[in-house]
Amino acid sequence: MRSFFAGRSILAGLAALAVAAFGTVEAHADKLQDILQKGVVRIGVPLDAPPFGAQDANRNPIGFDIEMAEMVAKGLGVKLEMQQITGANRIPFLLTDKVDIVISVLGLTPERSRQVMFTAPYANTFLAVYGPKSSPVTSPETLGSTRIAAAKGTTQELAISAAAPKADLMRTEDDATAAAAYITGQADLLATNSIVAQALAKQNPNKEFERKFVIRRSPAHMAVQMDQHNLVRWLDSFIFFNAMNGELDRLHRKYLDMPMDPLPTL
């Protein structure tokens, strides 16, 4: 009797392992092959962070990340399905399988790397705090009661929260709302990407965008679901190829008004 129950326990254990293994295969299906078989790639892009993503007069998406998404789809030989995302929902959209790839001026952090996989960087940028020349702020320690706007969930919002926990941080839903808060005087300072600040300064010549302090260098990366090694490898190859053939330099000059500097590697 004892050996009978022991045998049943062993069989039950093997069955459980089989189910677990099957479930793992299902959870970690090859996204690259899935995209190629379906003939469609779903890419999350920003429309609130010019020059990486915005809308023209006819409400068509334009920008660095928009063109990158189009190039990725063309490189894969599939149809592009773009979905608008914000700084706060970029990673949640990947985790809930609403998109296959995020191309949204996304900075890499160790915390984010526990949730998603990053590609090699495709654009050089840094994060900083901007404001009027009259502002005495020169570092996180000198923020005091100065109100600073930043889109929640972004690298700049997280970095300022960590460096100055007592800062008067106005957390907005997206980058466009953060910029609007600064431009309209609801906030004294703006934390954003250097290229975004450059575009905002051109669009708002009567508003000062002096750099008060740099948060950190933050190259833009693409991101995919965790364990999608084949898709990350393909995207890395895509980035390398377009860096070598001059296409990334073209995009840097077209949208960022500067040549492409050598990019760091992972």
Side-chain angles (χ1 to χ4, degrees):
M1 184 68 71
R2 189 174 301 167
S3 61
F4 173 76
F5 282 112
R8 291 191 63 180
S9 295
I10 292 171
L11 290 173
L14 291 173
L17 285 173
V19 170
F22 180 78
T24 300
V25 171
E26 287 295 303
H28 299 152
D30 191 329
K31 184 68 70 174
L32 176 59
Q33 289 304 315
D34 188 46
I35 290 168
L36 295 175
Q37 290 173 6
K38 290 182 177 178
V40 176
V41 61
R42 303 168 301 164
I43 301 181
V45 296
L47 295 182
D48 63 338
F52 288 95
Q55 291 179 306
D56 63 16
N58 297 316
R59 301 186 67 80
N60 296 313
I62 56 171
F64 193 118
D65 287 345
I66 308 303
E67 196 160 338
M68 280 294 289
E70 293 169 347
M71 289 168 57
V72 166
K74 183 177 179 180
L76 287 167
V78 299
K79 179 182 176 181
L80 172 61
E81 182 181 298
M82 282 193 294
Q83 294 193 37
Q84 180 182 358
I85 55 178
T86 65
N89 66 24
R90 290 175 295 187
I91 290 178
F93 264 47
L94 275 176
L95 298 179
T96 56
D97 200 33
K98 289 185 173 66
V99 295
D100 303 311
I101 305 167
V102 161
I103 306 178
S104 182
V105 63
L106 183 62
L108 185 156
T109 67
E111 294 76 19
R112 287 175 174 170
S113 294
R114 293 201 298 261
Q115 297 178 290
V116 298
M117 293 185 73
F118 288 89
T119 67
Y122 65 88
N124 272 319
T125 68
F126 61 86
L127 303 175
V129 171
Y130 298 86
K133 294 179 180 179
S134 59
S135 173
V137 171
T138 57
S139 67
E141 293 75 23
T142 60
L143 282 170
S145 60
T146 306
R147 193 170 208 199
I148 179 170
K152 65 182 180 181
T154 58
T155 307
Q156 56 267 28
E157 184 260 321
L158 298 172
I160 292 173
S161 297
K166 295 182 179 180
D168 185 3
L169 192 54
M170 181 181 180
R171 296 174 174 85
T172 63
E173 289 300 317
D174 52 41
D175 287 287
T177 307
Y182 173 64
I183 292 168
T184 59
Q186 298 175 61
D188 304 306
L189 301 172
L190 172 66
T192 191
N193 185 281
S194 58
I195 305 302
V196 173
Q198 179 180 314
L200 289 171
K202 288 182 179 180
Q203 296 166 5
N204 302 274
N206 296 323
K207 190 73 175 181
E208 292 180 339
F209 284 84
E210 180 178 88
R211 191 172 72 208
K212 311 312 292 184
F213 63 87
V214 172
I215 298 171
R216 71 172 177 85
R217 188 180 180 189
S218 183
H221 300 255
M222 302 181 198
V224 303
Q225 290 177 353
M226 192 63 78
D227 294 332
Q228 292 301 328
H229 297 279
N230 288 340
L231 183 54
V232 162
R233 182 60 179 164
W234 186 89
L235 289 169
D236 282 343
S237 300
F238 167 86
I239 292 167
F240 175 82
F241 181 79
N242 284 284
M244 293 299 100
N245 68 13
E247 279 298 290
L248 283 185
D249 183 67
R250 178 185 67 81
L251 292 181
H252 275 75
R253 293 175 186 275
K254 178 179 179 179
Y255 293 107
L256 310 185
D257 294 324
M258 64 180 185
M260 184 187 73
D261 291 330
L263 290 164
T265 58
L266 288 179

